[in-house]
Every structure is written in C-alpha cells, then in structure tokens.
Amino acid sequence: MKYIPHPYQKYCIERVIHDPAVALLLDMGLGKTVICLTAVNDLIYNRFAVGRVLIIAPKRVAEGTWSREAEKWDHLKNLRVITVLGTEKQRIRSLNMPGDIWIINRENVPWITDYYAQEWPFDMVIIDEATSFKSSQSKRWKALRRVRPKISRIVELTGTPAPNGLIDLWAQIFLLDGGQRLGKTIGGFRERYFEADKRNATQIFSYKPKEEAENAIKQLIGDICVSMKAEDYLQLPDVVIDDITVILDAKSQKRYTELEREMLLQVDDTIIDAAGAAALSNKLLQLCNGAVYDSERNTVDIHSCKIEAFLELVEQLNGQPALVFYNFQHDLARLEEVLAKTGLRVRKLSGPQDEAAWNDRQIDILLAHPASCAYGLNLQDGGNHVVWFGLNWSLELYQQANKRLHRQGQTQKVIIHRLIVRGGRDEDVISALQDKGDTQEALIESLKARIAAVKGENQKLQEGR
C-alpha cells in the first residue's frame, strides 16, 4: 500500500529525523507507528545515521503492531523487524538475528540492559507508550537511564503524558534530555513547581502544582515535545480505525488450529447452509476471544491473549472512556471479571439510566452488545473511543453500533479499536465488513476458502509423511 502522509505526519517525521531526542504526544489513531517507521527507514537507508533500533512497547503491541505496520506499506519493505519475546533462549536468538529494528516488551527492559552490560548496541530507542516510564523508581526506568548515554537518538510516544498530573512528566523528560529542562532530580522538580496537597502530620501523600507551574513547565519542554490532538486535524477522516493485532500463544494457537481443522474437514464445502456456517463461525470466533461453549453451554476457558491486549489498550487510554462491544456472554463475564480489578467505573449497558450516566461522564468502560444498542441511543457525549473486543458478521449492526458515538453532537474524532487475532476467524470478519457484502454470503464464502486452505494443509501433511 502506498503511504501518503498528512501534513502533520510529515512534520512529525521531520522532527524524528532531525531531533536526537523528541516526544511525540499524539492522540491514538494519528499514525504514530508509521510516522516512526518512515523516519527510521530514512535514517537507516538514506542518511546512514542509524544502525540498530530498539522499540520498547507493551507486550501485545510488541507482538504484532509494529511488524504488521512495516509489512503494510510499500516504502517500508526493506525494513527487517524482529520481535524479542518469549523465553530467554528465544530472546537471545532474536537479538542475534540480522535486522534493523528489534522490538521488546517493557517488562524485559532490565533484562536486555543487563544482557548487553557495557556493550549496548542500539543507537536509537523508541518508547511506545512513554507513560510506562513515568516512575523514576521503577526497574525499567532505572535500567534505561543506565544505558541512556549510549543512545544517540530517542523518541517517546504517548497520547497522555501526564495521566496522574504534571508530576508524571519529570521521569519521561529526563530520559530525553538528562535533566536539562526539568532538573536533575525528581525532588528538585517537586520543590520548584509543586506544593503539598494531601498529607498528615508526618507524611505527604500527594502534590499539587503551584500557580503558573503548568505554563512554566510547558514552556520548558515545548521545544522537545510535539503535542497533537485528533480533533485539531480536520483533514483526518471522521472515524479513525485502529486495528490491534492479537497473537495467540503457542498452546492456544495449536488448539485453534486443531479446532479449525477438525470442524472444517467435517463439512463438504458444496453443502454448507447458512445455519451450519454460522455455527462453525461462532465456535471459531469464540476461541479467538478466549473461551468456547461446550455442548451444555458451559464456558471452557482457552486463553487470555485477547483479554491481555484489551487491558493494555485500556491502560493506553489513560482514563479516557471507552464503549466496548462484546459478542458472546462469556466475553462479558470475563471482561467484567478482569475490569473489576482495575478500579475503573465499569457498567453494562442495560437501560436509559446507563445511557445518561455515560453521557454525564460517570462511566469509564461501558460494556454493550451491538444488537442491544445499535439503534436509538445517543452516546456521543460520553466519549470518542469504541473498542470491538468480539466481532460479528452483521455489517448493519457494526455500522449502527459505531454510530452511537459518531453522530451529530460529537466534538472529537471517533477512534474505533478492533482487536483481531492474527490468522484467525477475526480476520475473515474484518475482510467481509470491508467488502460490505451480504452477511450470509460473505460468511459462507469465507468458510469455503478456509475449508480449501485447511484441506490443502492437511494434504501436505499427509504427503510429507
């Protein structure tokens, strides 16, 4: 696919190319991944200014988002992107493979700095979701600080750099400039710009900014930070699609493959009817989401890969509310279970009272089934993020559900996040929705294609024996 950057993207690309340290404070959906990859490609292959690039990202983002984006665009075809994940043995093997970009999850930052010790090989580092480094007491921050003098270029990416207040900025900016702008220590930063807020006789629990502190801090870091909000760029489409690749772990992928092969090989592709196709698709979609119903409608848990990707997305939203669509009842039950541990205000959409609470910004996560809210609800005042945890085949339901936020009165760009299992039934649903074909016809045709592919793989296995 040919990449034609928007003017603001061109500006960001130039900043990454020319600035040795920069923070791109971009809203989700503004294309931060392709911006950085385009700049890296230029720095490596045109300017010869960079040799090895390390990207630090949340685990699920590290697994698929960056490599998928590199594969998507024609101008990035030369980039060699390697994920550094899995066991220690697998990570070491990945680090020793020839490449341009290596992607590691943030939890393994202490490990990789210890592994290389004094021989740090990466001259450029990109931190995807820089708020993961907002605490100067965290192991990952301390580890990256140790090797920072060996890094000639660094880029930080986030849409919400100060989710808990301006105090969060110090650690992130220090990794960029070594303390030139906000001071060498967090204590000095607090003393200059904050005063005690909640406290008792002996202990301070929180700080609040002094008068004019916000303006002063913004002026200090303005030259090193590029801040852009989606609503400021009217040339963007009204709706931004953010596809998040979910990669199943090896055990779950094996179970998915076995279920797909066993079910599809039992069906002759010339006699599939709509009812049979729907049953097959539902079972595969359930497994993509992480659980399946057995013959007695009991839930059998398979994996938590999509749940983990969802929680990482919620973390990246940093308190911005989200309307979350689920497909199966066991999806709802598992989402409610994990969200109960987050401290967020979570509610299932069940009546007018929930609609009112959402629009009054009293809900952080609103869980809804697309069939129950596809028509008649006005939810545009409560937020601008839609998350599709579980997909379904109905184009009408999909479009109408998204219209709950994307409608008259919405003041921000609506960003639709879709969690898609790589190589799974999710991808077939996305393809069918994009083709805007008849639901049943698309469902049946995609199953025929799956059957043919599985039969071909099965034949190859038999011939190999």
Side-chain angles (χ1 to χ4, degrees):
M1 184 183 299
K2 185 177 181 180
Y3 176 55
I4 303 176
H6 295 285
Y8 78 88
Q9 292 176 324
K10 289 181 180 179
Y11 173 75
C12 291
I13 291 167
E14 289 299 312
R15 289 294 299 268
V16 174
I17 290 173
H18 294 292
D19 293 3
V22 65
L24 301 184
L25 312 182
L26 307 184
D27 261 0
M28 298 181 74
L30 288 182
K32 61 182 180 182
T33 307
V34 70
I35 286 170
C36 286
L37 288 174
T38 301
V40 166
N41 186 70
D42 188 76
L43 287 166
I44 292 176
Y45 287 107
N46 296 331
R47 300 172 187 266
F48 309 105
V50 169
R52 293 167 64 94
V53 179
L54 180 70
I55 297 176
I56 302 167
K59 183 172 181 290
R60 295 297 166 186
V61 175
E63 284 180 333
T65 300
W66 285 86
S67 55
R68 184 101 174 215
E69 196 75 7
E71 295 168 359
K72 178 179 178 181
W73 302 105
D74 295 340
H75 71 296
L76 302 176
K77 62 180 182 298
N78 292 324
L79 281 179
R80 298 168 296 174
V81 181
I82 299 168
T83 56
V84 185
L85 301 168
T87 65
E88 182 174 28
K89 184 177 180 180
Q90 290 171 326
R91 296 197 299 270
I92 292 173
R93 184 167 62 245
S94 296
L95 288 173
N96 287 284
M97 293 174 62
D100 301 306
I101 298 172
W102 287 260
I103 309 171
I104 196 166
N105 57 307
R106 56 199 180 188
E107 291 81 8
N108 276 323
V109 169
W111 173 84
I112 196 172
T113 56
D114 289 343
Y115 174 75
Y116 282 113
Q118 299 302 315
E119 303 299 324
W120 182 258
F122 302 103
D123 44 4
M124 183 173 185
V125 171
I126 298 172
I127 306 175
D128 191 352
E129 201 48 51
T131 50
S132 301
F133 289 79
K134 67 179 182 291
S135 171
S136 58
Q137 298 303 309
S138 66
K139 292 181 180 179
R140 67 185 67 154
W141 186 88
K142 292 178 180 179
L144 196 58
R145 179 184 180 178
R146 285 199 304 271
V147 298
R148 177 64 181 90
K150 300 178 183 295
I151 301 168
S152 59
R153 291 177 172 273
I154 186 167
V155 180
E156 293 183 357
L157 305 173
T158 184
T160 49
N164 301 315
L166 294 172
I167 202 77
D168 286 345
L169 289 173
W170 182 84
Q172 297 172 72
I173 299 300
F174 184 92
L175 289 178
L176 292 176
D177 68 0
Q180 294 179 25
R181 289 164 178 78
L182 299 184
K184 298 290 185 180
T185 66
I186 181 67
F189 178 62
R190 278 198 303 257
E191 185 177 344
R192 283 189 296 276
Y193 300 108
F194 298 85
E195 57 189 20
D197 186 13
K198 296 178 181 178
R199 63 179 303 169
N200 59 23
T202 59
Q203 186 176 3
I204 299 173
F205 299 107
S206 63
Y207 293 85
K208 62 182 178 180
K210 293 179 180 178
E211 188 175 355
E212 294 302 315
E214 182 173 354
N215 289 333
I217 292 170
K218 286 181 177 179
Q219 287 182 3
L220 285 170
I221 66 175
D223 66 318
I224 205 170
C225 297
V226 179
S227 180
M228 294 183 175
K229 295 295 182 182
E231 60 265 28
D232 295 335
Y233 293 88
L234 300 180
Q235 71 268 37
L236 288 176
D238 289 336
V239 174
V240 176
I241 301 295
D242 174 34
D243 284 341
I244 301 167
T245 301
V246 178
I247 299 180
L248 302 183
D249 57 66
K251 182 179 179 181
S252 302
Q253 183 61 59
K254 181 180 179 181
R255 297 181 76 172
Y256 181 91
T257 302
E258 289 175 350
L259 177 65
E260 182 181 52
R261 178 171 285 110
E262 291 171 5
M263 291 175 63
L264 294 183
L265 289 179
Q266 294 175 8
V267 182
D268 186 334
D269 58 354
T270 61
I271 60 171
I272 295 179
D273 59 20
L280 288 174
S281 290
N282 277 342
K283 192 67 76 175
L284 293 170
L285 283 175
Q286 286 176 44
L287 201 148
C288 282
N289 293 355
V292 296
Y293 290 121
D294 63 16
S295 58
E296 298 179 353
R297 292 286 293 177
N298 296 314
T299 301
V300 179
D301 289 333
I302 304 296
H303 65 81
S304 60
C305 301
K306 189 175 276 195
I307 286 282
E308 291 172 6
F310 169 75
L311 290 175
E312 286 188 352
L313 170 60
V314 170
E315 179 186 346
Q316 291 173 40
L317 290 176
N318 279 314
Q320 297 179 80
L323 173 60
V324 179
F325 291 116
Y326 62 89
N327 196 7
F328 304 101
Q329 287 301 311
H330 59 60
D331 294 342
L332 173 63
R334 287 179 298 118
L335 286 169
E336 288 180 326
E337 181 180 359
V338 297
L339 286 169
K341 303 172 186 177
T342 64
L344 296 171
R345 299 169 297 175
V346 181
R347 194 181 296 189
K348 176 190 172 185
L349 181 64
S350 57
Q353 70 280 4
D354 302 313
E355 179 183 359
W358 165 263
N359 284 324
D360 288 340
R361 298 287 178 136
Q362 298 174 15
I363 298 173
D364 298 314
I365 302 292
L366 182 61
L367 300 167
H369 193 280
S372 67
C373 73
Y375 305 97
L377 290 177
N378 296 301
L379 301 174
Q380 66 270 25
D381 294 331
N384 64 309
H385 289 273
V386 176
V387 180
W388 284 89
F389 179 83
L391 297 157
N392 69 73
W393 288 88
S394 173
L395 177 64
E396 183 179 14
L397 284 182
Y398 173 78
Q399 292 178 331
Q400 289 296 331
N402 290 332
K403 284 293 184 182
R404 296 316 96 208
L405 299 189
H406 181 228
R407 59 195 303 109
Q408 188 174 1
Q410 176 62 259
T411 59
Q412 303 179 77
K413 300 298 176 186
V414 174
I415 303 175
I416 300 174
H417 311 274
R418 306 187 299 193
L419 298 168
I420 305 170
V421 169
R422 188 172 71 179
R425 195 68 171 143
D426 286 350
E427 290 185 344
D428 295 332
V429 177
I430 292 297
S431 178
L433 292 174
Q434 290 172 341
D435 290 342
K436 295 180 169 56
D438 175 77
T439 299
Q440 297 299 343
E441 181 181 350
L443 190 153
I444 291 172
E445 288 302 316
S446 66
L447 265 182
K448 287 181 179 180
R450 285 283 182 185
I451 289 168
V454 171
K455 284 185 175 180
E457 292 171 6
N458 198 50
Q459 185 175 354
K460 289 180 181 179
L461 288 173
Q462 291 176 347
E463 290 173 353
R465 295 187 184 126

